[in-house]
Amino acid sequence: MLSQICRSGCQSFTQRLLPWVQSTTLSRSHRVQPSATGHVRSWSNIPFITVPLSRTHGKSFAHRSELKHAKRIVVKLGSAVVTRGDECGLALGRLASIVEQVSVLQNQGREMMLVTSGAVAFGKQRLRHEILLSQSVRQALHSGQNQLKEMAIPVLEARACAAAGQSGLMALYEAMFTQYSICAAQILVTNLDFHDEQKRRNLNGTLHELLRMNIVPIVNTNDAVVPPAEPNSDLQGVISVKDNDSLAARLAVEMKTDLLIVLSDVEGLFDSPPGSDDAKLIDIFYPGDQQSVTFGTKSRVGMGGMEAKVKAALWALQGGTSVVIANGTHPKVSGHVITDIVEGKKVGTFFSEVKPAGPTVEQQGEMARSGGRMLATLEPEQRAEIIHHLADLLTDQRDEILLANKKDLEEAEGRLAAPLLKRLSLSTSKLNSLAIGLRQIAASSQDSVGRVLRRTRIAKNLELEQVTVPIGVLLVIFESRPDCLPQVAALAIASGNGLLLKGGKEASHSNRILHLLTQEALSIHGVKEAVQLVNTREEVEDLCRLDKMIDLIIPRGSSQLVRDIQKAAKGIPVMGHSEGICHMYVDSESSVDKATRLVRDSKCEYPAACNALETLLIHRDLLRTPLFDQIIDMLRVEQVKIHAGPKFASYLTFSPSEVKSLRTEYGDLELCIEVVDSVQEAIDHIHKYGSSHTDVIVTENEKTAEFFLQHVDSACVFWNASTRFSDGYRFGLGAEVGISTSRIHARGPVGLEGLLTTKWLLRGQDHVVSDFSEHGSLKYLHENLPVPQRNTN
């Protein structure tokens, strides 16, 4: 039976916790059961896939992406993680979230172990409560209400607090894990348990047996009896159990653990004390880097500071266990920090023994920033010369480029669909077209950066200018199409922007040689580092978190890629379109041959493109006419699969399959056909189901066409022209970084102009605002001044 202290403390905590836990979990009747195959577990409607986890222990993981293969994991919860801000009692919400994450991983087939702090804090709260209750009632009445409030609480000794809090802490963990049908077991240890060989073997055997039975061991130092650390034992290659950091490291190595996650109240390891002006989070820490780090003070609670954590982490790393130190207290990330780490996401500081051959993506971002600033200071003629040189290299080095592309195509054969293979393929004609487009960009770049947009005389000898400047550092993420690399690079060079490029691995050989040629061109004016190709194992989601290094993200790829990036890039603007649902409305006053030709080109010329036709709107009067029959016959010849919209299906006795959704981007030889009664109904349909990309009207009635052009709210609206004209090269922009459907900054095909922003330049002579006050000596003029004419040659 628990003591009165446990009843007053643990029960109150559990009673406050259980309603919250029960609202998000299942009853005991929904116990986790393995399927017949043994690969899927579930509670409620959430499946948990048991990932194939088999690994020979002995060497730590070299890269974050490999952490998903970790089978045996130790999670160390620091005092600051489990303790409330007042250091008296536990952070219940945080603790419940951690238990949930550990339970999810346990139910994936992993072997989870917890090393937890919190007994002292829990015991301190309970002992304080007990002391207050035990005060004499007569003394309290005699002293008066005010003095009762100010009653002093004696300083509580840590060992006593630990003794009082340990049982309640474990009862709390037991209640939490029970809600997930997981059993937990408590193990208290001291340093002597590791130094005594028999005790160490007993501990090892107990832990292995618990893991074998799918039980989560919860380990803690026995703070009620823990002796001082043995002097100099660390110097002999054996880490002392001085705190829970060293305990977790010792346990991880002893149990041949794949991964040790150390949760604290900071994001990870910084090169200087967190909170200082120049402190930078270290993404990957390597043995021997200790000299480059200045350690701060210890945590607000607990025994060990960051120096102790790093020492324990390096000791575990040397023993073959990978380590990540991360923040377990941040409210926006603590709910998924453990699972994010195991998924290989860039969270906290990852300890690795393998240094990458090239620079980290953070270093590449810094190089792109400094290189871009140098690029922006070049004369326009110098930037144009770089682009011309790159265009020449594309044709001069044609054989090398095509040979690299051939390797990509051979490796992608059988893995990529035919439309994607077509995007991946380069040819002599493509390279020639690329070179022509780059020369167009060079010509248009002569008057881009530093162009004066507005001049105003604020007052006498006080003049204001608004001028164009680069955005900063661009991150362009593209799939399959290696020809995207020189196009985007040329636009970045012309606009003076630094550039990070992340291409798909299916085009790695092509991207590598194209990037080398780009840097060769940049080298003629000493700005080689302005364009960087990200070759590390960085996940796209991790790149989207580099908000201090990247100013704009431009995705070029599938709608799913764009949506994923828009979701991940919470702190960085994203320019692009998530879908290309392009419409063509064939009006009742349309030419038969013209309509057929435009539909064929829009749908069949390149069906995988984002500007390909996806929905054909037919005026009702055209049904069962030669125009309609000719369009249908052409689509059959081109082997286009037709889906009928609801109204179109109602007119047919035997109709094609009715469309599942009118908001579908097929990206293939498939097309939805729907019937409308008027141009206004066509416009309404486009606004309801379209993606604001490109929409077309086919008609011989100029008035109807102008009505359509003015009222359709899309980035590109055409009259009697194929949707496929929605392209930067075809618009005369030389190339594009993408097509934007947003309504701010840039819209439609985004070329050089879309990669510029502005800044204000004010030139005065000792002007102060007070001179313009009611009783001041100066008055505002706000006169518009002539703007220098732009060079359009």
Side-chain angles (χ1 to χ4, degrees):
M1 180 180 293
L2 293 175
S3 65
Q4 180 182 356
I5 295 176
C6 185
R7 286 195 300 271
S8 62
C10 178
Q11 289 180 356
S12 62
F13 269 96
T14 306
Q15 288 166 359
R16 288 159 54 196
L17 168 76
L18 286 181
W20 182 89
V21 176
Q22 289 171 341
S23 68
T24 57
T25 58
L26 293 177
S27 66
R28 293 284 291 183
S29 61
H30 291 79
R31 294 187 62 86
V32 178
Q33 297 292 342
S35 68
T37 60
H39 291 295
V40 180
R41 303 169 180 226
S42 64
W43 71 68
S44 185
N45 296 319
I46 306 174
F48 291 92
I49 307 302
T50 304
V51 293
L53 302 168
S54 58
R55 175 174 178 263
T56 302
H57 186 83
K59 194 171 184 180
S60 60
F61 294 118
H63 305 282
R64 283 184 186 269
S65 58
E66 298 172 354
L67 295 180
K68 62 175 67 76
H69 301 299
K71 177 175 177 60
R72 185 170 292 175
I73 301 171
V74 171
V75 179
K76 184 264 176 180
L77 308 179
S79 300
V81 175
V82 299
T83 305
R84 292 201 317 241
D86 60 5
E87 303 176 18
C88 185
L90 302 182
L92 282 177
R94 217 154 46 216
L95 207 56
S97 176
I98 289 168
V99 167
E100 181 177 18
Q101 294 173 77
V102 170
S103 300
V104 167
L105 295 173
Q106 181 81 3
N107 281 285
Q108 287 179 348
R110 305 180 198 269
E111 297 174 346
M112 304 298 297
M113 290 181 280
L114 277 184
V115 175
T116 180
S117 302
V120 173
F122 199 4
K124 184 186 294 185
Q125 183 200 37
R126 293 165 62 184
L127 289 180
R128 281 187 173 186
H129 181 65
E130 182 68 20
I131 290 170
L132 283 174
L133 290 178
S134 65
Q135 297 289 343
S136 168
V137 175
R138 276 174 290 174
Q139 179 185 351
L141 293 174
H142 179 72
S143 300
Q145 188 66 25
N146 291 333
Q147 290 184 350
L148 178 62
K149 290 181 179 178
E150 298 173 0
M151 188 178 297
I153 301 294
V155 177
L156 300 174
E157 203 272 330
R159 287 190 177 90
C161 291
Q166 190 65 50
S167 60
L169 177 65
M170 191 59 205
L172 187 60
Y173 273 119
E174 184 69 32
M176 289 179 173
F177 275 112
T178 297
Q179 303 305 309
Y180 296 93
S181 300
I182 290 176
C183 182
Q186 179 185 30
I187 298 178
L188 295 177
V189 298
T190 67
N191 198 23
L192 297 176
D193 295 321
F194 289 96
H195 283 276
D196 184 282
E197 184 63 24
Q198 184 60 48
K199 290 183 177 180
R200 190 175 66 82
R201 284 200 300 268
N202 293 343
L203 174 62
N204 191 298
T206 300
L207 289 169
H208 275 95
E209 184 63 15
L210 291 173
L211 294 176
R212 188 187 68 80
M213 293 188 294
N214 201 35
I215 295 172
V216 175
I218 300 177
V219 187
N220 196 359
T221 51
N222 193 350
D223 292 328
V225 298
V226 65
E230 294 184 3
N232 301 325
S233 59
D234 288 344
L235 302 179
Q236 302 168 7
V238 180
I239 192 167
S240 297
V241 179
K242 306 171 184 176
D243 49 52
N244 276 345
D245 294 316
S246 53
L247 168 61
R250 186 68 189 263
L251 181 68
V253 174
E254 182 73 25
M255 294 296 295
K256 295 182 170 56
T257 301
D258 299 319
L259 173 62
L260 167 60
I261 299 174
V262 180
L263 296 184
S264 182
D265 57 352
V266 292
E267 278 69 27
L269 178 60
F270 289 78
D271 57 1
S272 55
S276 59
D277 292 338
D278 298 325
K280 292 182 180 179
L281 179 66
I282 299 173
D283 172 43
I284 306 177
F285 190 80
Y286 306 99
D289 287 353
Q290 296 92 313
Q291 293 79 7
S292 62
V293 178
T294 303
F295 294 103
T297 59
K298 292 184 178 181
S299 168
R300 61 178 173 83
V301 289
M303 295 283 292
M306 185 54 71
E307 188 170 6
K309 289 176 175 56
V310 172
K311 186 175 183 180
L314 291 174
W315 192 87
L317 188 67
Q318 186 180 13
T321 296
S322 295
V323 183
V324 175
I325 297 178
N327 191 338
T329 64
H330 195 291
K332 291 185 178 180
V333 299
S334 59
H336 45 80
V337 60
I338 299 174
T339 50
D340 279 355
I341 289 171
V342 176
E343 288 173 11
K345 295 181 181 179
K346 184 174 281 190
V347 178
T349 300
F350 172 62
F351 286 71
S352 175
E353 293 185 297
V354 181
K355 285 197 173 186
T360 65
V361 70
E362 289 81 7
Q363 292 170 331
Q364 286 186 295
E366 291 175 356
M367 289 189 288
R369 174 79 69 190
S370 59
R373 286 171 175 163
M374 291 175 61
L375 187 64
T377 62
L378 297 178
E379 294 297 323
E381 294 78 11
Q382 292 175 306
R383 289 193 294 272
E385 186 181 354
I386 293 172
I387 299 171
H388 275 295
H389 188 47
L390 177 57
D392 293 338
L393 287 172
L394 291 178
T395 53
D396 294 343
Q397 305 293 325
R398 178 188 303 112
D399 292 341
E400 289 81 359
I401 296 171
L402 294 179
L403 181 61
N405 185 244
K406 183 181 178 182
K407 291 181 181 177
D408 288 327
L409 289 170
E410 289 173 350
E411 292 176 5
E413 191 68 39
R415 294 191 299 109
L416 292 183
L420 293 179
L421 282 174
K422 186 176 180 180
R423 287 188 180 190
L424 178 60
S425 175
L426 292 176
S427 63
T428 299
S429 61
K430 270 190 178 183
L431 292 176
N432 289 336
S433 297
L434 272 175
I436 294 171
L438 264 57
R439 294 187 178 98
Q440 290 179 352
I441 295 172
S444 63
S445 69
Q446 295 293 324
D447 189 23
S448 55
V449 180
R451 178 163 53 92
V452 179
L453 301 179
R454 181 183 304 175
R455 295 180 65 222
T456 305
R457 180 177 288 121
I458 304 297
K460 184 179 179 181
N461 295 325
L462 184 63
E463 294 187 0
L464 178 69
E465 284 184 347
Q466 185 184 25
V467 300
T468 57
V469 294
I471 288 176
V473 175
L474 314 175
L475 169 62
V476 178
I477 302 169
F478 57 100
E479 295 176 322
S480 298
R481 294 181 55 175
D483 53 333
C484 172
L485 193 152
Q487 289 178 335
V488 173
L491 287 169
I493 294 166
S495 56
N497 285 287
L499 178 63
L500 286 174
L501 292 159
K502 175 66 173 175
K505 60 183 179 182
E506 67 278 359
S508 59
H509 299 293
S510 306
N511 290 337
R512 190 176 301 114
I513 188 170
L514 290 171
H515 178 247
L516 288 174
L517 296 178
T518 302
Q519 289 200 315
E520 182 179 336
L522 288 163
S523 297
I524 66 175
H525 288 296
V527 287
K528 175 182 177 182
E529 295 181 343
V531 176
Q532 298 285 326
L533 180 64
V534 179
N535 285 319
T536 61
R537 298 193 180 194
E538 301 294 330
E539 298 292 336
V540 169
E541 186 173 342
D542 293 329
L543 291 172
C544 292
R545 295 175 180 171
L546 301 177
D547 57 313
K548 294 181 180 179
M549 299 178 181
I550 298 168
D551 300 297
L552 179 67
I553 301 176
I554 304 172
R556 295 191 60 171
S558 65
S559 58
Q560 186 60 51
L561 171 72
V562 179
R563 281 194 296 268
D564 290 344
I565 291 172
Q566 289 172 334
K567 181 179 179 181
K570 297 178 180 177
I572 309 174
V574 178
M575 184 167 67
H577 64 280
S578 60
E579 292 177 308
I581 305 176
C582 302
H583 291 74
M584 179 177 289
Y585 165 57
V586 181
D587 186 51
S588 59
E589 300 179 66
S590 299
S591 161
V592 175
D593 293 337
K594 192 177 292 185
T596 305
R597 178 177 165 83
L598 290 173
V599 172
R600 176 191 286 112
D601 189 79
S602 296
K603 177 71 262 185
C604 307
E605 197 268 340
Y606 190 1
C610 65
N611 55 14
L613 177 64
E614 303 294 4
T615 298
L616 179 64
L617 301 176
I618 300 284
H619 193 284
R620 179 168 54 88
D621 293 346
L622 295 177
L623 293 178
R624 302 182 182 88
T625 66
L627 185 151
F628 177 76
D629 292 340
Q630 186 164 318
I631 291 176
I632 296 298
D633 290 342
M634 179 274 296
L635 292 174
R636 285 173 178 163
V637 170
E638 296 290 343
Q639 297 183 330
V640 177
K641 182 179 180 180
I642 297 175
H643 302 276
K647 290 185 68 175
F648 180 43
S650 67
Y651 285 101
L652 304 174
T653 305
F654 299 99
S655 68
S657 60
E658 187 168 341
V659 68
K660 294 180 179 178
S661 171
L662 292 168
R663 290 192 182 93
T664 302
E665 181 181 11
Y666 298 103
D668 206 345
L669 287 173
E670 297 185 56
L671 181 69
C672 171
I673 297 179
E674 182 58 310
V675 174
V676 292
D677 291 336
S678 65
V679 64
Q680 183 60 59
E681 188 175 333
I683 293 170
D684 292 341
H685 180 104
I686 289 169
H687 287 166
K688 185 174 182 180
Y689 300 109
S691 61
S692 301
H693 191 293
T694 301
D695 298 294
V696 176
I697 183 172
V698 182
T699 185
E700 299 303 305
N701 188 315
E702 183 177 352
K703 184 177 180 181
T704 302
E706 288 300 325
F707 183 84
F708 185 90
L709 293 174
Q710 297 302 319
H711 287 80
V712 172
D713 184 19
S714 294
C716 299
V717 189
F718 302 162
W719 171 25
N720 287 349
S722 168
T723 61
R724 297 278 290 117
F725 278 104
S726 182
D727 176 84
Y729 175 77
R730 298 181 182 114
F731 275 18
L733 305 178
E736 64 183 37
V737 293
I739 295 180
S740 172
T741 55
S742 64
R743 287 170 170 76
I744 58 173
H745 178 54
R747 201 173 184 205
V750 180
L752 178 57
E753 298 288 336
L755 299 181
L756 297 171
T757 184
T758 64
K759 70 178 180 182
W760 298 89
L761 305 177
L762 184 63
R763 299 179 175 91
Q765 294 182 3
D766 194 31
H767 287 82
V768 294
V769 170
S770 59
D771 286 343
F772 294 86
S773 63
E774 185 178 353
H775 303 292
S777 59
L778 296 177
K779 300 294 182 184
Y780 289 111
L781 299 176
H782 292 150
E783 296 177 357
N784 291 327
L785 299 175
V787 174
Q789 291 298 310
R790 183 179 182 185
N791 181 10
T792 57
N793 294 328

